[in-house]
Amino acid sequence: MKFFLDTADITEIRQLAALGLVDGVTTNPSLIAKTGRKMSEVITEICAAVDGPVSAEVTATEHGAMLAEGRTLRKLAHNVVVKLPLTAEGLRACRDLSEEGILVNLTLCFSPAQALLAAKAGAAYVSPFVGRLDDVSHDGIGLIADILEIYDNYDFSTEVLVASVRHPMHVIQAAKLGADVATMPPSVLRALINHPLTDKGLAGFLADWAKTGQTIL
Ligand code: G3P
């Protein structure tokens, strides 16, 4: 399973990328707005900090304008993936950009039907939003299971990128189902690392070691 960071905060991205656990980054207009910086600069910096794919989202809603914005974003760096909303115009732009060799991430996916259309439109990634479905009493992880089953039936190559991840169990449940990617806020990646028994165990080992008076080096 690939781990992407769902943030536009370059400091967080650099810190966590140094751990060697970050396979890519996803951004959206809200995350870019939070930085208070120019989108082209932020995306260029993120692309330089991370080797893997970096999703940059268009803000146009009409096919022609989506194509123009997508091509502009793609020129920012070799690892830009163009993110488009899962609308009729987005599906059409996805088909066209994909045929030009531009990787597309179709975002704001909330149903198996939309995911099926994303694969048919040639998307490299589809982003189902698990947390936002849970928020309205729907089964976010259930959607991931449905999409994986459908994609498996037809050998679609579109990768299932689990988005709107809110806590470590979303990641674990998605991994158990075999989802290709989980994109998560930095706080969730940190929460995956930490365990109180690891901290307690390490403190015990170090206390016992100190009593020996030895050093390894
Ligand atoms: O980038 C899309 C997605 O991950 C947003 O998550 O927490 O705003 O629902 P959230």
Side-chain angles (χ1 to χ4, degrees):
M1 179 188 234
K2 284 174 272 191
F3 280 9
F4 289 3
L5 280 180
D6 195 28
T7 181
D9 183 329
I10 188 68
T11 309
E12 292 267 44
I13 291 169
R14 286 195 181 120
Q15 271 175 15
L16 289 166
L19 298 180
L21 293 169
V22 177
D23 302 301
V25 172
T26 52
T27 66
N28 61 39
S30 305
L31 293 171
I32 297 287
K34 238 163 99 176
T35 68
R37 300 178 55 210
K38 199 168 151 47
M39 179 179 184
S40 56
E41 287 171 14
V42 175
I43 295 294
T44 306
E45 270 182 29
I46 297 173
C47 287
V50 173
D51 285 335
V54 174
S55 288
E57 188 162 344
V58 304
T59 53
T61 54
E62 177 274 320
H63 169 254
M66 281 178 174
L67 292 183
E69 287 189 5
R71 289 174 188 137
T72 300
L73 291 172
R74 176 63 187 84
K75 283 188 199 132
L76 291 175
H78 75 281
N79 47 343
V80 166
V81 170
V82 173
K83 210 171 174 192
L84 303 171
L86 217 162
T87 58
E89 296 288 298
L91 286 164
R92 191 175 156 209
C94 174
R95 164 63 57 212
D96 290 343
L97 292 174
S98 301
E99 280 173 2
E100 289 174 24
I102 295 176
L103 298 182
V104 173
N105 174 0
L106 277 176
T107 189
L108 291 164
C109 173
F110 292 97
S111 75
Q114 288 181 315
L116 178 56
L117 296 175
K120 287 180 69 64
Y125 302 94
V126 65
S127 291
F129 277 31
V130 293
R132 291 194 194 184
L133 277 171
D134 290 354
D135 288 346
V136 293
S137 307
H138 283 254
D139 181 5
I141 289 295
L143 172 61
I144 303 303
D146 286 346
I147 297 172
L148 288 169
E149 183 183 336
I150 291 168
Y151 281 13
D152 216 37
N153 286 343
Y154 298 98
D155 273 339
F156 284 128
S157 57
T158 304
E159 294 194 31
V160 179
L161 194 170
V162 181
S164 187
V165 161
R166 301 279 170 77
H167 50 70
M169 285 314 291
H170 274 149
V171 181
I172 301 310
Q173 288 163 339
K176 283 171 83 171
L177 290 169
D180 303 280
V181 190
T183 188
M184 62 200 85
S187 59
V188 172
L189 181 52
R190 290 202 177 89
L192 285 171
I193 298 168
N194 294 326
H195 197 290
L197 289 179
T198 303
D199 298 340
K200 191 176 168 207
L202 180 60
F205 290 158
L206 294 182
D208 291 340
W209 180 250
K211 288 178 212 151
T212 71
Q214 297 183 54
T215 57
I216 292 176
L217 295 179

